Structures are given as structure tokens and as C-alpha cells.
Amino acid sequence: MFEKLKGYHVEDGKVYFRYEGDYEGKEPCVEVISDTIINVFVDYTGLGHRSRAIEWERQGQNDTKEGAEKGKLESVSQDESGVIIKTKKVTIIVGDNFHVDFYDHEGMPLSLAHRGERKKNAALSASLLAFLAKEGHAASGSIIGDYPIQEVRSLEDKDCIYGLGDKTGFLNKRHYAYEMWNTDNPNPQEDNFKVLYKSIPFMLVLKEKGAYGIFFDNHGKTYFDMGKEGEDYYVLGADEGNLDYYFIAGENLKDVVTDYTYLTGRAPMQQLWTLGFHQSRWGYESEEEIRGIAKGLREHELPCDCIHFDIDYMDHYKVFTWNKETYQDGGKVISDFKDMGIKSVTIMDPGVKVEEGYYVYEEGMKNGYFAKTPKGEVYVNEVWPGDAVFPDFGNPKVRKWWGEKQKYLVDLGVAGVWNDMNEPASFRGPLPNDIVFTDEDMPAPHSQMHNVYGHNMAKATYEGWRELTGKRPFVITRACYGGSQKYTTGWTGDNHSIWAHLRMAIPQLCNMGLSGMSFVGTDVGGFGSDCTPELFARWIQIGCFSPFFRDHCAKGCRMQEPWQFGPEVLAISRKYINLRYELLPYIYDLMHECETSGMPIMRPLVLEYDKDENVKNRNDEFMLGDRILVAPVVEQGAKEKLVYLPKGVWYDYWTGEKIEGNCSFVRTAPLDVCPIYVKAGAVIPKYPVRMHVGEDKDDLLILEVYPGEGTYAHYQDNGEDFAYRQGAYNTYQIHNLNGQVEVFKQHEGYRDYEKIKVEMTAGFQKK
Ligand code: MIG
């Protein structure tokens, strides 16, 4: 492979390296994308970059995108250490063996190639695997060795690792090993699951000083050993494809998130109603039953914006059909719900039932839109409708077709689509690796297209809805890849009604947010298993602050609507759903911030306080934006919570008590209390509680003011379409000088609030 460095040349702003050794002319390359984003690339396949995540044209170093300040290659030179490439912010030294080292502008190492031996401390040989299998032990280790494509980089003692999408376990991923292979596994998710539904091959490393990210842009199967094999290094591996990664240098984690979402796109603003409460269940067996749910929500005075129709609504689980026997006339129930202020979202699976005469199947067959075996026959596996075929979403024509098919739902009055089973999941064993799909303009095997199947399905859905409705498409997905945030929101799939999964929800959602997927949520109350009243009450308290707030549950499990657990839990549910509706303008502002800078709505404390040792491994608290800290109870039976507050002055949301941060303390937390803290000087914009978004014209804005000094930027638009991109929005700059509040209109492009009401919080009385 790459042995001794011989020289380099620059072409089109890219630096290519020549080595001794046999590498078949595949010269490795370093490309400066911006001052802080560097691409490292070896074109093993000879196909160039074939990214599904980065969709803007990269035209070398001079490309500019959306006004972002593009970096440039400042200088390239060579000395005895190697080839030295400089940008304004980063120095890259490329040496023998294609070791690539990154330094910050002060010359401090940010990330170095690992040069020592690998430790192989948990190596599993094939014979050991066979031995373990005898008694039914699943091997928990991986076979350690070299991957065909691989990058091994150093870790320092203090480094913490975050991101990696929807992985289970804890916030800090260091010492664990993961794989990227979109997987539907209905077993209760454990801390050490290697794979889950989504593959977001992006990691963030927080160092004692500075931070960086690596986006390992290979959508085949990849491996992330985050310091399990060896304490002082991590391994990125892939079975096939190119070595193609983006190094992102930052002063802090926020810089890294901003750059990553610059590269792969930002989660766009959703319609305002999508931030409301959603009610769902698999197994609302009939129209009568689902109508009862809508009635129940209103009778119990529970604000709600959306009911989800799971696979039960389809005729024999055939996509783009309606079960007229059990669900009668789809259009009628949907329009009746609309009259109650409730939108309808329908589930959509990729698998198309094999059935002569079924129009979706026939159309797809006629046009060759389904994946094929290497022999050229349409590939069949089993999913809910029985024998089914798989749309080849990597083919732009298939995406267009699928997008147009959405008209069926749009015409029924459906308001958004929930894409499930798009790993793709299959009942008769996994799809073989050699099933033939399309990757845009060329055939590609399942092994390459698996991890982007959900991504491409989401893209097809998003584009179809955008075309058909002109509104911001609301798409939810179970499977996705890096960059999917441009098209879809997500949920974490089939969790269970167990306390471990309530605890897991926090780091899992926070890491998704750091990985670009900001609009995400867990099934509130848990999907599988039977929820308890206490668990439901605590889950609603986390759901209330999750970007996607949906109560969902599996068929056959105990009923899980908020009124199924008695009056106390119903009242608690109402309290937190009401709070959610009050906070809508605040959360909407955060969604706007996310579109602008990539900052997630729900954040781990470490994103805001990355110098604070006490938050680097904090799994049981999180922030909503940078002003609200939530410290939910996640232990069965607990009536108090050990709260940690970072440096600064905080106010207890419920009592107004002032607390100097940088300390831990015990907060009493009976079942109806989720401890919440607000930063001194904060202004929190609120709406009055209403049963659903748009119940009135959002004409009253309440500004909840906390003691201290601060400024706040509030954003307002029609909450529906893309007019804001043409300037149809208002922004307000709000100054809080210890209760003296001034509001300045900054941008004028939308109708005004009729009234802005300023409310002093309890903190002003309690000095
Ligand atoms: O194999 O559509 O994760 O939310 O309710 C189960 C039925 C298929 C899995 C989804 C879940 C949904 C369920 N689906």
C-alpha cells in the first residue's frame, strides 16, 4: 500500500500524493472544502465521490455555497515531516503511509493518525466464535482485524466521543464499538447494540481543548470502534467503497455541528402544527375506534394536532390503498378530524404487495421499478402484505414515481407521511447483498444501497409532497443516512415501555441532534411491552421537550392514550401537553435556528458547556435550546431528582427560586413535577394554551421574563409553506434589562401579533 512518501502535486485545488509501494495508481488526495472542513479521499472504486449525504456540487476550493465563507488552500509545501497543507484555521501534514495529521492554527494537534500497533485485545477468531455458539452465546466482540477500507486515529485521555446517530447506550460513545447497517431489531434495545435503524457515520470528538468531527462518508457497511479495541485509538472501517472522510475542525462542538450541517444540509423548518402533540397506536382496528381516539382527546381537553394512521388503515397492507371494510371512507374521517383541528398522518411502507391487478405493483412491474436479483428477476421477500417487492428508490425515476403516487394521500387530505420498514426490513431473512438496485445513474448492489434506502425513500416522499402541496413536507422516517435531515424528521423506532428506555431516550435523541437529525422523538410511553401509569407520566415529561412529541404503542400492548392510566396521570399529561403548547413559539424559534446554523432543538448539556467536566457524561439532563434545562426523573419510584446545573444563575421554572449553578442538589419531584430551570436574563416566548395550532390566529405573544440581563431573537412566519424564504417573516429583537423589556422589530414581512404581553416570572418576587 502507501509506503514512503515520494511527492505531491496540486490539481484543481486538490493535493495528490505519490508513494512508494503498490497502490495501483489510486493516489490519495486531500481537498480543502473550507477553512475548517478537509476531505481525505482515496478513490479505490474509480467512481469518484458518490455521496448521498452531500448533495451540493463540490467544485473544488473555489466553490461558494449559500454565502458561506469558503476556505481556501493557503499553501502547500514539503519538508522532512511530510507535505504541509495550510488553511486559515488548520494545518494538515501528510506523511509516510498516508498518515494524515491535523493541527489547529496555533500548531496544537487536533487529530493524529495512530502509528502504534493495534492491540487486538478482544479478538475473536472464527474458531472461538464457533465454540461460543455451541452454548448459544452470541459473540459480543467483533472479529478484529483490518478492514478493506480503514482509518485508525489517535485518542487522547480526555477525549469524549459523541454523535453516531441513533445508537443506544450513553451520550459518550468512547469505549464502545458500533456498526452502520440499518437494522430493524424488535428486541428490547440494550446499551451495547451495535446497529439500529439509522446509519449516520458522523462522530464528534470533544478534546480538552478544541473539538473536531469526522464524517466517514461511505454508505456501505461501516464500523466504528471508538476505543474498545485499544484505549488510545479508534478505528473506522468499511467493507467496500472508497476511503472518503471529512475532517471538521472546531473550537467547540457547536462549530463542528455547524460545519457538518453545512456539508450535509440542515433540517428545514417544519410546519408549526408538527410541533404539537401527536397520538398514535398500531392496532386502531377500525374507523370507529380511531374516531373514538379523536373524541377522547377533545373530551379530556388534551391539546393534539395529529393522529397517526398505522398499517391498519390499508387494504391488506397495500400501500396507496384504503381498507374500506374497517376504515370505510378515508376522506370522510380525515376531513372530520380536520374539523376538530386534528391532522392525519398515514404510515407508508416500502414493500409493494405482489398481486396481479394491484395498480402500484402493476405500474412498478411494467416500468422495472423494483429491485432485481443478479439474474434480472424481480426480487421478492415478505413484509406485512405478504410477498412483496422493493421499489428501487436509488433510481431518480422511481423516486419521481413514488413522489407522484403521494397524490393518493394528498387527495385524501392526509397531512404528512410516516415512512416505516425502510431499512429495508424483511420477514424471510435479510435481502442478500447482491440484490441489484440503482445508485442514481448506475446499478449498485444491496450492500451499497442498504444504508441509503430509507434516505432515498424519504427524499422521494419529500420531493413529491413539496411538488404536490407547496407546503413544508412533513415526513417521518425510521431508517436514514447522513444528510437525511434535509428531507425528513425521525423517530427512534421500537423502544419498549421499560425504564431503561426512558433513560436511553435522552442520550439517543441528543446524539441524533448532534448528528444533524434535530427533529426527532421516541415513542412516548414506549412501543413494545405494557406501560405503567408512573412510567407514562415520566415519559410525557420528556416527550414534552422532545422535538417530535408522539404517544405511540404496539398492537397487543396495553392501551396507552393519556387517559388510560387514571385521573392523576391524565392531569399530569394535560399539564405537560399544555406546557408544550405554551412553548411552541420558543421551540419554533429553535427550529428556525436549526435551519440557520444546524443547532439541534434538544441538546446535551455538553453542547452548551463543553468546558464543564460535569456534563461530558451527563445522560439524565438535557437542554431545550440554550435557555431551558430539563432534569427529568427517569427512575421508577423516585420522588426527587439529583440535579446538576452548570455555571451561571438559574431559576426554578416552577417556584422562581434562584440558584447559583456549578452545583448539584436534590430537587423534590413528585409525579407531577419535572424539574425545569431557566437561565437568568432569559425571555421565553409563549402562546396561550389551545387545543391545536391554528385554533386562533396566534395573535397573542407572551414574553415570559426572568431576572437578569439578556437578549432574545424571536422569529415568526405563517408556519406552513416556503413564503418565508422569500422574506415573508418577522423577526423581533428583545432586550431584557432585569425586567425592563424592549421589543424591536428587525425584519418585517408578515402580519403582526395583535398583542405582545410581557409577564414577569416568580423570580422577581423571590430575591
Ligand atoms: O413490524 O406498522 O416501528 O412504529 O407501529 C412492525 C406497525 C411494523 C414498526 C414501527 C412501528 C409501527 C409498526 N411497524
Side-chain angles (χ1 to χ4, degrees), residues 184 186 197 280-283 310-312 314 317 347 349 384 418 420-421 423 425 427 478 491-495 523 527 550 552-555:
D184 170 27
Y197 307 98
S280 181
R281 176 183 177 85
W282 172 24
D310 206 320
I311 51 174
D312 318 276
M314 288 184 255
Y317 307 127
I347 201 168
D349 291 354
W384 291 111
W418 163 27
D420 187 22
M421 304 289 280
E423 294 71 30
F427 297 167
R478 195 169 72 174
W491 96 107
T492 59
D494 299 348
N495 58 2
D523 285 347
F527 178 72
R550 183 182 69 164
H552 181 54
C553 173
K555 190 171 181 148

Side-chain angles (χ1 to χ4, degrees), residues 464-513:
W465 277 75
R466 190 163 173 173
E467 184 70 34
L468 287 162
T469 67
K471 292 191 180 160
R472 305 171 200 167
F474 182 48
V475 184
I476 311 161
T477 195
R478 195 169 72 174
C480 72
Y481 182 68
S484 299
Q485 66 270 11
K486 294 187 289 283
Y487 308 116
T488 184
T489 68
W491 96 107
T492 59
D494 299 348
N495 58 2
H496 279 249
S497 302
I498 57 176
W499 288 87
H501 283 182
L502 177 69
R503 286 192 288 273
M504 193 173 77
I506 300 170
Q508 195 174 22
L509 295 178
C510 285
N511 273 324
M512 285 245 264

Side-chain angles (χ1 to χ4, degrees), residues 636-656:
Q636 191 274 339
K639 293 283 177 283
E640 45 194 25
K641 167 94 181 181
L642 180 64
V643 177
Y644 173 76
L645 294 180
K647 207 165 146 210
V649 177
W650 298 84
Y651 288 88
D652 185 307
Y653 177 80
W654 302 110
T655 65

Side-chain angles (χ1 to χ4, degrees), residues 435-490:
I435 295 303
V436 185
F437 288 83
T438 306
D439 187 13
E440 302 303 308
D441 52 358
M442 56 182 252
H446 176 237
S447 59
Q448 271 300 307
M449 298 312 289
H450 180 83
N451 283 343
V452 288
Y453 193 74
H455 173 89
N456 281 326
M457 183 185 184
K459 181 172 173 176
T461 311
Y462 178 93
E463 285 171 350
W465 277 75
R466 190 163 173 173
E467 184 70 34
L468 287 162
T469 67
K471 292 191 180 160
R472 305 171 200 167
F474 182 48
V475 184
I476 311 161
T477 195
R478 195 169 72 174
C480 72
Y481 182 68
S484 299
Q485 66 270 11
K486 294 187 289 283
Y487 308 116
T488 184
T489 68

Side-chain angles (χ1 to χ4, degrees), residues 113-125:
H114 177 71
R115 289 173 167 81
E117 284 290 299
R118 298 214 2 219
K119 296 200 183 71
K120 318 206 171 188
N121 67 8
L124 288 170
S125 64

Side-chain angles (χ1 to χ4, degrees), residues 214-245:
I214 291 191
F215 177 46
F216 191 58
D217 193 9
N218 181 319
H219 56 256
K221 186 170 186 186
T222 55
Y223 304 84
F224 282 73
D225 183 311
M226 302 286 89
K228 182 190 84 166
E229 179 187 302
E231 262 304 298
D232 58 346
Y233 62 89
Y234 58 91
V235 184
L236 310 179
D239 286 340
E240 52 186 310
N242 294 327
L243 178 75
D244 190 353
Y245 72 84

